[in-house]
Amino acid sequence: MMRAITLSENSVKNGGGPFGAVIVKNGEIIAEASNCVTIDNDPTAHAEVSAIRKATKKLGTYDLSGCEIYTSCEPCPMCLGAIYWAHLDKIYYANDRKDAARIGFDDDFIYQELEQKPQYRKKPSEVFMQAEASKAFDMWMQKDDKTEY
């Protein structure tokens, strides 16, 4: 965890956001990253997502079972989703979403939005061309040699 915290501090010094993450397997650091949203002009360049990308590349797999993530702050909904998709075994975090909200980050707001039905969220959305899009889902269901994840 100290490494994740150090990464978060260094990120602030280098123009990034105050977040760091480390992925560990069998007690060894596999990957580490800090927040590069403003540095890379990439809203998905959160520390956790960047660390996951590095770990999957290093290990040659999309499945990070057997790994744990240490992050300087409770993961935002995007990062939490990525952690679940990557099958990381456990999450350790220091600051929480209320701490992030206190310094101006939207993590808690987005968590609240996810609890709302789509029609009541601040960001409007609607179902569009569902029948046309269902063809790809049907193709997937019929595919015998798919790699399920």
Side-chain angles (χ1 to χ4, degrees):
M1 180 60 80
M2 270 315 300
R3 181 64 185 149
I5 292 168
T6 298
L7 288 165
S8 71
E9 292 171 353
N10 289 341
S11 183
V12 172
K13 293 175 189 173
N14 295 321
F19 306 99
V22 174
I23 295 178
V24 174
K25 184 171 187 169
N26 300 324
E28 176 188 345
I29 293 177
I30 300 300
E32 61 181 43
S34 59
N35 181 287
C36 293
V37 170
T38 55
I39 294 168
D40 295 344
N41 292 317
D42 178 354
T44 68
H46 290 202
E48 299 90 338
V49 170
S50 297
I52 287 169
R53 289 174 179 157
K54 289 178 180 180
T56 57
K57 186 173 183 176
K58 180 175 183 176
L59 297 176
T61 180
Y62 57 85
D63 186 342
L64 296 178
S65 296
C67 297
E68 299 172 327
I69 189 165
Y70 293 79
T71 180
S72 63
C73 187
E74 179 180 4
C76 75
M78 176 185 70
C79 293
L80 183 62
I83 289 166
Y84 273 89
W85 282 115
H87 305 287
L88 287 157
D89 291 352
K90 189 167 183 178
I91 305 164
Y92 297 93
Y93 62 88
N95 294 310
D96 67 20
R97 66 175 101 158
K98 300 291 185 188
D99 297 320
R102 184 179 48 79
I103 62 167
F105 288 90
D106 286 340
D107 305 44
D108 193 47
F109 166 74
I110 297 170
Y111 271 107
Q112 291 172 29
E113 282 284 281
L114 290 173
E115 294 175 7
Q116 302 292 326
K117 291 182 179 179
Q119 65 268 29
Y120 299 118
R121 293 180 184 155
K122 304 277 188 236
K123 187 76 61 180
S125 64
E126 65 181 82
V127 176
F128 185 67
M129 295 183 75
Q130 184 176 20
E132 293 81 356
S134 68
K135 181 179 177 188
F137 280 18
D138 293 340
M139 291 168 62
W140 175 258
M141 289 299 298
Q142 294 168 10
K143 188 172 176 62
D144 292 329
D145 61 342
K146 62 187 168 211
T147 301
E148 296 195 29
Y149 56 98

